[in-house]
Amino acid sequence: MLHLWQYIDMESTIKTPYELVIFEFGGVRKCARQIGRDAGSVSKWSKTGLIPTSIQKKVLETAWDRGYQISAHEIIFGRE
């Protein structure tokens, strides 16, 4: 039995803004620590996969200061 996911190319998969941020920062706890939030509130972002608009600027500034490769477009729409 073949499954649809077996046909999905890894290049075309989309990372949600949440997945991208957590990946670049190295985990929920590291991300939370670096942006001055608690890990529980950062973890809640996974429910929607989105970064709250009220924190997007802080996430981007912190990422750019630390040399992480995240764009403003990706923080809103994710990455292909």
Side-chain angles (χ1 to χ4, degrees):
M1 175 178 212
L2 296 174
H3 298 280
L4 181 60
W5 61 267
Q6 292 172 318
Y7 294 102
I8 297 174
D9 187 331
M10 292 301 288
E11 296 289 328
S12 68
T13 60
I14 296 174
K15 279 192 177 181
T16 66
Y18 170 78
E19 292 169 336
L20 176 61
V21 167
I22 298 307
F23 174 77
E24 291 289 335
F25 278 80
V28 172
R29 288 178 189 247
K30 287 182 179 180
C31 177
R33 195 175 312 118
Q34 292 176 39
I35 63 171
R37 301 281 188 204
D38 78 34
S41 65
V42 171
S43 180
K44 288 179 185 178
W45 303 347
S46 68
K47 291 180 182 178
T48 62
L50 303 174
I51 309 301
T53 55
S54 59
I55 194 70
Q56 287 175 355
K57 182 179 177 184
K58 177 67 174 173
V59 171
L60 277 174
E61 288 173 344
T62 303
W64 292 342
D65 287 345
R66 297 175 187 273
Y68 301 147
Q69 300 298 314
I70 301 175
S71 71
H73 183 268
E74 291 172 330
I75 205 81
I76 298 169
F77 298 106
R79 180 184 291 166
E80 284 192 36

